[in-house]
Amino acid sequence: MVFYFDYIDPGSYLVHRILQRLAVPSERITTVGVELAPPPAPLIDPADPAWAAYTRVVAELAADASLSWPPPPSFCPWTRKAHELGHHAAERDRFDEVHDALFRAYFEDGADIGRVDLLVAIATRIGLDLTETKAVLDVDRHAEAVEKARLTALAEGLGRVPTVKSGAGSLEGPVRIDDLRTLLEESGVWQPGESPEL
């Protein structure tokens, strides 16, 4: 199963939280970062009526899933560097921890995950080397991989993030927990009772 996401997308954070809630083993999910606003595109304006309406829908779906939900952040940074950090963490077998920390930093702490210094701080808390991480981000080592992931996803027909896709079907946009649970079951990725819900 493939999960297309961006770190500033509330629908992506909702999918992430539901996957955690259902205790779906991370090795059964392929995560693909897709920037909503790749630079130099303009940043997303959180006050835009369509974006504000979208965040309200996501908050309602979170409530339906009995998930605590923070108020929406007041800014939407570029996420290129955050995705680069994800690639670096994957090379060091620390992707899961960094992936969760990036979502939480933005949505729960209101952190600017577009800033290299903040990303380095997140990485070092997870246990990655400070000097190496800063060097990797400073020289854009994974920028090409981030852009390639986005272009490949679009070429394969991705319409939006979040999207969860498998041979059994796909879900686009913010999801209901029951719909995601059903897709996971039909895909053989997760079965009720296999892992206790958190």
Side-chain angles (χ1 to χ4, degrees):
M1 176 170 281
V2 183
F3 169 33
Y4 299 92
F5 72 95
D6 194 11
Y7 287 118
I8 58 167
D9 172 48
S12 295
Y13 185 45
L14 175 63
V15 171
H16 174 70
R17 292 281 304 279
I18 292 173
L19 291 172
Q20 287 185 323
R21 172 80 174 272
L22 299 177
V24 178
S26 61
E27 63 270 15
R28 299 181 188 174
I29 306 291
T30 299
T31 54
V32 179
V34 178
E35 299 168 282
L36 287 174
L43 294 172
I44 293 169
D45 179 2
D48 177 85
W51 185 260
Y54 173 57
T55 60
R56 286 193 296 272
V57 167
V58 173
E60 291 167 4
L61 290 170
D64 290 344
S66 300
L67 293 170
S68 60
W69 201 251
S74 60
F75 66 102
C76 295
W78 282 309
T79 55
R80 172 69 53 89
K81 289 296 176 185
H83 289 294
E84 288 181 35
L85 176 58
H87 282 267
H88 174 61
E91 289 185 342
R92 300 294 179 266
D93 295 320
R94 304 305 295 269
F95 176 77
D96 291 346
E97 301 100 307
V98 167
H99 183 62
D100 183 60
L102 287 168
F103 269 129
R104 291 185 181 279
Y106 178 66
F107 283 101
E108 298 180 16
D109 302 333
D112 183 350
I113 58 170
R115 287 176 42 187
V116 169
D117 60 333
L118 188 144
L119 295 173
V120 170
I122 290 172
T124 55
R125 283 197 299 272
I126 299 300
L128 295 175
D129 182 77
L130 184 154
T131 302
E132 180 188 42
T133 301
K134 186 174 187 310
V136 164
L137 295 178
D138 281 345
V139 301
D140 306 328
R141 182 181 299 172
H142 297 289
E144 184 177 342
V146 173
E147 178 65 4
K148 182 179 179 181
R150 184 181 70 85
L151 293 175
T152 299
L154 294 175
E156 292 173 350
L158 179 71
R160 64 179 298 185
V161 295
T163 289
V164 181
K165 186 182 295 186
S166 74
S170 64
L171 296 170
E172 294 186 5
V175 300
R176 294 176 60 249
I177 188 171
D178 291 343
D179 293 337
L180 183 52
R181 186 187 284 119
T182 297
L183 181 61
L184 291 164
E185 290 180 43
E186 291 175 349
S187 303
V189 172
W190 174 88
Q191 297 298 320
E194 180 182 22
S195 302
E197 294 188 19
L198 300 177

